[in-house]
Amino acid sequence: MPAVRREAFGRMPPEEGGGEVERFVLESDSVRVEILSFGCIIATLETKDRAGQFSDVVLGFDTLEGYTRKHPFFGAVVGRVANRIANGSFSLDGKKYQLFLNNGPNSLHGGAKGFDKVLWSPEVLPNGVRFFRLSPDGEEGYPGDLKVWVTYTLSDKELAINYQAQTSKTTPISLTNHSYFNLAGQGSRDVYDHEISIEADSYLPVDDTKIPTGEVAAVQGTGFDLRQPVELGKHLQKFHLDGFDHNFCLREGQGRRLVARVFHPPTGRTMEVHTTQPGVQFYTGNNLDGSLKGKGAATYPKHSAFCLETQNWPDAVNKPHFPSVLLHPGEEYNHTTWLVFSTA
């Protein structure tokens, strides 16, 4: 059974209420993960290479101050609705809701102060930690009192992230973790030598503000066909792609299924993503520009990490033919994503 340690990590600034932020350390023989009560952030995730050496494979900061300042959601749980909502607006039961616009003309990852920028209440479990918060009716423009639980558990080589929620009014909800991975170790220059595959027959084309056009396009014969492993750098060159920031439509099914696999040949590190969610946003750190000082004074240039954000499809609240993103009173939102680490 992995041990769980809890320790102080810092205090919120007085203008943010000044609460204490704790760090929870989950450890097994092959994985070590540190999670913060601020934003449910995965701050460190260490896994072994084929020689048995541990390296931290997620981007982030050494101190709380890094996370309380503006950054691209490193390691955080984002919500109420992950990804983009067109024009930051939607209608429910004849009423229009307007959200904060924080991504050009759109609302992204919950708005001005999403779930990534708040303190959660922690509860230590035998092999993990559960965080809770109540998102009040009207927070960031969303309807309903929303109770949310995010649970991290570590079992040998597998980190499970479970999301549960209940609401007092019908509301859109789509939760994900926004970790940035580099299997060569955080601070490595790029992810071009990573081999990736995604089990998806279709993807969502987007407009110039990254909102899905509504088309569900086949990957066959395009640069989005990742059903067989591709070496990322060569693949981007071959198809003249600046990077990925797209939702891949996963094969339908209610239960756990393998949806993506990433292999780093030089170290042998492998990461599999399993989920119950209908989509995964594959993002290659296109907006990283080296301006942030990360852990160990590392800088994070463009394409120095990738994200595989399991979630509902972007802008689903405005696209009736997408999987429903609505949670109704009396129902429970319940999704799990599993990250499985090994060496080859």
Side-chain angles (χ1 to χ4, degrees):
M1 184 72 80
V4 181
R5 283 203 326 274
R6 74 190 290 176
E7 51 202 35
F9 186 69
R11 289 199 78 81
M12 295 295 290
E15 63 271 19
E16 294 285 340
E20 184 183 29
V21 177
E22 291 184 284
R23 168 170 56 194
F24 297 84
V25 184
L26 282 48
E27 225 166 334
S28 72
D29 288 342
S30 43
V31 178
R32 183 177 174 279
V33 59
E34 298 179 2
I35 304 155
L36 308 181
S37 56
F38 177 70
C40 301
I41 287 169
I42 295 177
T44 300
L45 202 165
E46 296 178 356
T47 71
K48 287 179 178 176
D49 64 11
R50 67 165 65 88
Q53 295 296 308
F54 277 97
S55 276
D56 184 3
V57 297
V58 294
L59 276 52
F61 302 102
D62 289 321
T63 63
L64 177 60
E65 192 183 16
Y67 291 109
T68 56
R69 291 195 297 234
K70 185 171 168 55
H71 67 94
F73 306 96
F74 286 150
V77 165
V78 293
R80 281 188 196 189
V81 176
N83 219 307
R84 294 167 180 86
I85 293 178
N87 306 311
S89 70
F90 59 90
S91 293
L92 269 182
D93 303 325
K95 183 178 176 187
K96 186 174 179 186
Y97 292 87
Q98 183 60 50
L99 312 171
F100 186 79
L101 304 182
N102 62 336
N103 186 247
N106 307 315
S107 183
L108 174 70
H109 293 331
K113 188 175 182 181
F115 290 1
D116 59 297
K117 298 180 185 71
V118 292
L119 211 45
W120 294 64
S121 302
E123 173 196 354
V124 172
L125 306 175
N127 63 334
V129 57
R130 177 183 293 127
F131 299 100
F132 170 79
R133 82 173 296 250
L134 172 68
S135 172
D137 186 17
E139 183 174 64
E140 286 297 322
Y142 287 97
D145 285 331
L146 187 75
K147 293 177 177 173
V148 190
W149 296 265
V150 177
T151 307
Y152 292 92
T153 48
L154 180 63
S155 172
D156 191 21
K157 298 176 177 180
E158 180 175 281
L159 178 67
I161 313 171
N162 173 256
Y163 309 90
Q164 289 169 276
Q166 299 164 355
T167 185
S168 64
K169 293 179 186 172
T170 300
T171 187
I173 178 171
S174 175
L175 302 177
T176 193
N177 177 281
H178 207 311
S179 285
Y180 287 68
F181 296 95
N182 186 320
L183 299 185
Q186 73 87 30
S188 297
R189 190 178 66 251
D190 58 57
V191 289
Y192 297 147
D193 58 355
H194 288 50
E195 295 175 3
I196 182 154
S197 56
I198 298 178
E199 300 277 333
D201 298 325
S202 51
Y203 77 102
L204 300 181
V206 293
D207 66 18
D208 55 8
T209 73
K210 299 281 190 285
I211 292 289
T213 60
E215 180 191 2
V216 180
V219 300
Q220 182 77 37
T222 74
F224 295 86
D225 191 345
L226 304 176
R227 292 173 294 185
Q228 296 298 317
V230 301
E231 188 179 321
L232 197 54
K234 288 178 180 169
H235 186 80
L236 294 177
Q237 278 186 319
K238 178 182 174 182
F239 288 95
H240 308 291
L241 296 169
D242 186 50
F244 288 95
D245 192 1
H246 295 79
N247 177 80
F248 285 76
C249 309
L250 303 176
R251 290 162 195 168
E252 285 183 39
Q254 292 305 305
R256 169 177 176 161
R257 55 223 192 278
L258 172 66
V259 298
R261 188 172 184 274
V262 186
F263 172 52
H264 184 242
T267 61
R269 285 194 185 91
T270 299
M271 181 175 93
E272 288 181 356
V273 182
H274 303 243
T275 193
T276 59
Q277 292 275 24
V280 60
Q281 186 85 3
F282 178 39
Y283 174 54
T284 48
N286 314 328
N287 298 321
L288 297 174
D289 60 7
S291 62
L292 288 172
K293 278 275 187 293
K295 290 180 277 195
T299 55
Y300 300 136
K302 182 175 178 173
H303 296 163
S304 60
F306 65 90
C307 305
L308 286 164
E309 305 157 64
T310 53
Q311 56 186 250
N312 205 317
W313 299 5
D315 201 34
V317 71
N318 292 312
K319 306 263 195 308
H321 61 297
F322 283 8
S324 175
V325 72
L326 298 180
L327 179 68
H328 303 278
E331 297 177 344
E332 182 170 68
Y333 175 91
N334 192 334
H335 279 289
T336 307
T337 293
W338 297 265
L339 304 175
V340 183
F341 298 93
S342 58
T343 52

